[in-house]
Amino acid sequence: MTDDVGNIQAVRIEDEMRVSYLDYAMSVIVSRALPDVRDGLKPVHRRILYTMGEMGLSATSSYRKCAAIVGEVMGKYHPHGDVALYDALVRLAQDFSMRYPLVDGQGNFGSVDGDSAAAMRYTEARLTGIAAEMLADIDKETVDFVDNYDGTQKQPDVLPARLPNLLVNGSSGIAVGMATNIPPHHLGEIVDATVALIDNPEITSDDLCGYVLGPDFPTGGTIFRFEQQRNPLTGENERIDAIRAMYAHGRGRVVVRAQVAFEEVRSGRMAIVVTELPYQVNKAALLEKIAELVTGKRLEGVADLRDESDRDGMRMVIEIKRDSNPHKVLNNLFKHTAMQMTFNLNMLALVDGQPQTLPLKSVLQHHIDHRREVVRRRTEFDLGRARARAHVLEGLKIALDHLDAIITLIRQSADVDTARANLMSGFELSEIQAQAILDMRLARLAALERKKIEDEYLEVIQLIAELEDILASPARVLTIIKNELAELKRRYAGDRRTRVQDDASREMTDEDLIADEDVVITISGRGYIKRQPVASYRRQHRGGKGIIGHVTREEDAVEHLLVANTHDWALFFTNRGRVFSSKVHHIPDASRQAKGIPIINLEGVQVESGEVPMATITLPNFKPGTFLVLATRKGVIKKTPLEQFEKVRSSGIRAIILNGDDELAWVDVSSGMDDVIIATAQGKLARFSESEVRAMGRDSAGVIGIRLARKGDAVVGMSVVQPDADLLVLTETGYGKRVALTEFRRKHRGGQGVGLIALEGRKTGDVAAVQQVRETDEELLLISAGGQVIRTETQSINRYSPGARGVIVMRHSEGDRVVGIAAFRAGLAERESIGDNDGPGESPTPSPRNGPDA
């Protein structure tokens, strides 16, 4: 190498390589790849915004060709190619890349499908309103200016940045040996956190997370606050607040998931509809990935895939096969595609020209310090201008006070320079004041104009006092910063787009993805089970024939019907006195025409040959202090604490010991101090206090609840009495009525009961089912052995005395018979069914009430 005077010097190549590489690395770090912590901008973005401001491209001006903007920036400030410069300009205008775009683009600026922007000669741009806040007061010497690449222009070293842009719009960049990746945030949350830090400088990053909920991506989606991480000391997984840990250290990760919904796109077929994607996910590439997984048999259950996005928003439709579980398909999509991804945060930024990884508090504090300096320099600039103006006005006041003498002096002067000198010596004026008097128009000599000069002087004096007080009071400077931030929040914040959920696990289980909805469960006598949405059955008037709700095989009648929530536990009690458990969502979702699957194929149910489920009950949880009341065909009753059924083996556990050929058939939940009713097929009912039945363990028999007086009689229903409820009685031929439970007095258990309904032989048949119902907002599902289902309102069935026969509630086909009732509470948000129904459809939302099925 040569020195400054051209002499050749010997240098080790290792040393030269080390020095040159470090110089190159620092140049990339400082001048290209990393944002400044004060304005959150890289040099290229700063130059673009400053140039557009110089060109007068405000939010209210007309658009200019991007080619003109790129040319102006490249010619004056940016010593790099136009392609990279235009790409940077385009990103500032993309509403799917920037949370608060700084450039207002007109034309094609790309899309989430990865489409590139149109050529710069076709597109136009101007600054947005919020970009003006980045440039505000730049003409008041608030920031330092440095030479451009050739020393012919001056450019700002940093922008005044009233907006906390580093966090609000985020930044990403790869330097030499380091990288930054900062997500966008909600302006309102960042403002609130900054104000909180101003008010309490001792606040911690953890406390600031009470204001900053997490990243707020322009594309929406959902992020999860909690995740499981392995503790290196204990080796166990621990539930940690990932967002708080991320902001406390300035680095970390957050899981982002697409926003999806389930829709029924055609009869009986569900679809996953994606309306929001994780940040920076290419929609077209995602669709190709899904198609590739389906083709390669790695993703099963997808029948169709299409993009229905338009100018109203994103809409990806993933249609599911009829026999597939849409929740499991969604789980696999999250697992194998970019519909769920991890955003790795690294808040690396330049602080005084040096790269530093900063926690949340430090980033906010650097912005406050920057704004404090900007406000101070702006105030000093305004104070200097005010003092200069006051100085001029003082000279004009002197001139007005000695008007005649000054006019005479000017008229007697040979030229302007002489007049200026005479004014300065004769009235002790400065050169500036003397020149202002010479430049004063004659119109200012009018009385009204003289008054304006005096008023302006008073205003300027007051302004000077105000500015001096601001400079002397750091608290006032901070108040100004807070007021400016509050105005930013009011004008630009808007609503948060990204949802934050408190989820303890990154990996979703199948149950996490199960829709929270109410379903109808039907079980046939031969053990076939299925579930359907309640909305599959539209409401009808009593006396209708209903629709097919369950297709049965020959000699296989529907035996059980109940309404439950997909997240409930289902307990299956068999005729042999054993119990099995399963989640309701494990029951297959089938159409009305399907018969379902054998219950022995259900997860968690391993019944033996000849063993069939006789009673099914659904529970949201196993609440301590509650009991299960069990009843058999021959009138035996038993009470057992509910928590004894919480852990059930797949091979089942014993619920009751049966005597002889007796069978367990009914189960209900009680508080331990309720009344119990037992109804028989031949129209008898017994009511007694549950306190007469002592609590027993699972491995025990029960006691007599009702004595069957007639041969062939059997219990057809047992339940715990609900407050203000009626008893709905339904016969085999479809006759039914409501009877107020107050009609039946409490007696001791073990009796033969009292009359419940007047039976008339073959016309009515025996009692088929009983169910407690409430009139207000409650509906019924009635089912026959042949699978006919009718949905009707409770209040459509009249109330009668115990001695009455009732009216036709359900008409069924010849040879069929009524077998079951299920009651549920309806709301107003139930989706409309698409089934072929006899009656007009309405739209209630059901809410299950656990009770005995018949």
Side-chain angles (χ1 to χ4, degrees), residues 326-462:
H327 306 288
K328 291 185 178 180
V329 174
L330 179 60
N331 200 8
N332 286 325
L333 287 170
F334 285 145
K335 184 176 181 180
H336 297 296
T337 73
M339 283 178 59
Q340 175 176 302
M341 58 173 290
T342 300
F343 186 95
N344 293 295
L345 176 141
N346 185 20
M347 287 205 286
L348 182 71
L350 295 175
V351 180
D352 297 328
Q354 299 296 320
Q356 292 184 21
T357 299
L358 304 166
L360 175 62
K361 179 180 178 179
S362 296
V363 175
L364 297 177
Q365 187 61 58
H366 282 298
H367 177 72
I368 294 171
D369 294 341
H370 174 56
R371 287 303 300 167
R372 185 189 287 116
E373 179 69 10
V374 167
V375 172
R376 183 189 64 79
R377 294 179 63 164
R378 180 184 68 192
T379 306
E380 289 177 347
F381 179 84
D382 290 339
L383 179 60
R385 295 282 294 268
R387 284 173 174 169
R389 182 58 180 166
H391 183 64
V392 170
L393 292 173
E394 288 171 353
L396 295 180
K397 281 173 57 60
I398 292 173
L400 294 175
D401 292 340
H402 304 85
L403 186 57
D404 293 338
I406 286 179
I407 291 174
T408 300
L409 186 149
I410 294 174
R411 293 180 62 184
Q412 293 175 354
S413 300
D415 52 31
V416 173
D417 293 337
T418 303
R420 184 187 304 110
N422 291 337
L423 286 172
M424 293 170 62
S425 60
F427 295 93
E428 297 183 354
L429 299 174
S430 67
E431 182 178 352
I432 295 176
Q433 290 174 324
Q435 186 63 45
I437 292 173
L438 292 174
D439 293 340
M440 186 172 60
R441 297 166 54 200
L442 292 175
R444 302 297 298 271
L445 300 179
L448 188 58
E449 292 298 320
R450 295 175 63 179
K451 181 67 167 59
K452 287 182 179 179
I453 291 175
E454 293 173 353
D455 292 342
E456 183 184 358
Y457 179 71
L458 291 175
E459 291 176 1
V460 172
I461 293 299
Q462 293 174 357

Side-chain angles (χ1 to χ4, degrees), residues 41 45 48-50 52-53 57-59 92 98 100-104 126-138 159-163 165 169 488 491-492:
L41 296 174
H45 300 127
I48 290 172
L49 296 181
Y50 178 66
M52 293 180 71
L57 299 180
S58 68
L92 291 175
M98 303 286 286
Y100 299 91
L102 300 176
V103 171
D104 179 10
R126 64 184 180 187
L127 293 174
T128 60
I130 201 169
E133 306 294 344
M134 297 290 294
L135 296 165
D137 305 320
I138 198 171
L159 296 187
R162 193 174 291 173
L163 178 75
N165 186 65
N169 274 318
L488 283 175
R491 295 177 60 185
Y492 302 111

Side-chain angles (χ1 to χ4, degrees), residues 183 213-215 217 220-229 240-243 246 252-258 277-279 334-335 337-345 496 498-508:
L213 302 181
F217 299 107
T222 301
I223 60 176
F224 297 100
R225 175 173 295 278
F226 295 99
E227 66 175 358
Q228 297 286 343
Q229 286 190 5
I240 68 166
D241 191 328
I243 292 180
M246 179 176 68
R253 64 183 185 182
V254 61
V255 176
V256 191
R257 182 173 291 165
L277 288 177
Y279 186 48
F334 285 145
K335 184 176 181 180
T337 73
M339 283 178 59
Q340 175 176 302
M341 58 173 290
T342 300
F343 186 95
N344 293 295
L345 176 141
R496 184 178 180 86
T498 301
R499 301 156 191 83
V500 181
Q501 291 186 5
D502 291 339
D503 194 311
S505 173
R506 292 177 56 244
E507 295 294 334
M508 286 190 69

Side-chain angles (χ1 to χ4, degrees), residues 109-123:
F109 278 79
S111 71
V112 292
D113 288 321
D115 301 322
S116 58
M120 66 179 80
R121 62 182 178 273
Y122 299 120
T123 57

Side-chain angles (χ1 to χ4, degrees), residues 492-693:
Y492 302 111
D495 297 328
R496 184 178 180 86
R497 297 181 185 176
T498 301
R499 301 156 191 83
V500 181
Q501 291 186 5
D502 291 339
D503 194 311
S505 173
R506 292 177 56 244
E507 295 294 334
M508 286 190 69
T509 64
D510 290 339
E511 187 171 355
D512 293 328
L513 300 170
I514 299 301
D516 191 356
E517 63 178 347
D518 297 308
V519 293
V520 178
I521 301 172
T522 55
I523 307 174
S524 73
R526 297 183 63 173
Y528 281 83
I529 187 171
K530 70 173 183 178
R531 64 180 170 93
Q532 301 165 255
V534 169
S536 298
Y537 306 97
R538 290 184 180 176
R539 185 186 306 157
Q540 300 180 16
H541 297 293
R542 71 167 177 84
K545 292 189 65 174
I547 59 175
I548 293 293
H550 191 111
V551 175
T552 57
R553 299 172 58 185
E554 292 182 5
E555 300 179 355
D556 183 19
V558 175
E559 293 287 347
H560 307 284
L561 173 74
L562 65 154
V563 176
N565 188 277
T566 49
H567 287 267
D568 286 348
W569 284 96
L571 297 181
F572 303 97
F573 294 83
T574 71
N575 57 332
R576 295 182 179 177
R578 294 201 304 157
V579 59
F580 300 85
S581 70
S582 176
K583 280 288 191 176
V584 169
H585 61 76
H586 289 157
I587 301 171
D589 188 3
S591 66
R592 297 196 312 271
Q593 290 74 24
K595 66 176 180 293
I597 65 170
I599 199 170
I600 60 174
N601 293 338
L602 193 63
E603 181 178 338
V605 180
Q606 297 181 7
V607 297
E608 298 174 350
S609 177
E611 189 175 17
V612 295
M614 299 297 293
T616 304
I617 192 167
T618 58
L619 302 163
N621 52 56
F622 296 86
K623 182 180 179 182
T626 55
F627 298 86
L628 284 187
V629 179
L630 301 85
T632 70
R633 292 283 186 190
K634 293 186 176 181
V636 174
I637 191 167
K638 175 185 174 181
K639 181 172 70 175
T640 303
L642 179 59
E643 57 263 29
Q644 293 192 19
F645 298 91
E646 185 171 4
K647 297 180 180 179
V648 179
R649 299 184 299 270
S650 60
S651 58
I653 60 175
R654 185 179 299 280
I656 187 175
I657 294 178
L658 299 173
N659 296 318
D661 60 349
D662 201 0
E663 292 182 334
L664 174 63
W666 288 274
V667 181
D668 200 0
V669 180
S670 75
S671 67
M673 299 300 293
D674 299 311
D675 280 4
V676 176
I677 54 173
I678 300 178
T680 72
Q682 295 184 8
K684 294 293 183 178
L685 181 137
R687 175 174 180 171
F688 54 88
S689 174
E690 184 188 345
S691 61
E692 295 189 12
V693 182

Side-chain angles (χ1 to χ4, degrees), residues 47 71-80 146-155:
R47 291 163 182 164
E72 188 81 3
V73 177
M74 188 168 58
K76 288 185 176 181
Y77 308 114
H78 198 64
H80 301 286
V146 296
D147 290 334
N148 68 339
Y149 60 90
D150 61 1
T152 60
Q153 302 284 338
K154 290 289 186 179
Q155 62 184 358

